[in-house]
Amino acid sequence: RPIPVLPRRIGVVTSPTGAAIRDVLEVTGQRFPGIPILISPCLVQGDAAPAQIAAALARLARVEDVDVVLLVRGGGSLE
């Protein structure tokens, strides 16, 4: 699918407690205020991470108005 200029909703696959989600929420809030963010929580490191990431992506694939999905880990940098 083509990536829209302004998505209706942005899905984020990441740990809900890591620095990455804080960074995503801060940057998207500055660049795209008003666009809703839907977090699909999962582990992003360790042996269980691959299966959890796949399940989190599958959950977002079932949400009709999620136009873009970010898969993020890490965080804490300036950008």
Side-chain angles (χ1 to χ4, degrees), residues 3-79:
I3 297 174
V5 174
L6 286 175
R8 293 173 289 176
R9 184 185 290 189
I10 298 171
V12 182
V13 173
T14 193
S15 168
T17 60
I21 190 58
R22 290 190 303 272
D23 289 349
V24 166
L25 294 175
E26 182 177 330
V27 172
T28 56
Q30 292 169 357
R31 295 185 183 175
F32 305 103
I35 294 180
I37 307 293
L38 178 60
I39 301 167
S40 188
C42 66
L43 292 176
V44 292
Q45 62 185 15
D47 292 339
Q52 286 200 18
I53 291 168
L57 286 167
R59 283 191 302 270
L60 289 178
R62 293 188 297 268
V63 180
E64 193 165 314
D65 66 344
V66 171
D67 294 321
V68 176
V69 174
L70 306 174
L71 169 56
V72 296
R73 66 177 302 271
S77 70
L78 293 177
E79 183 59 42

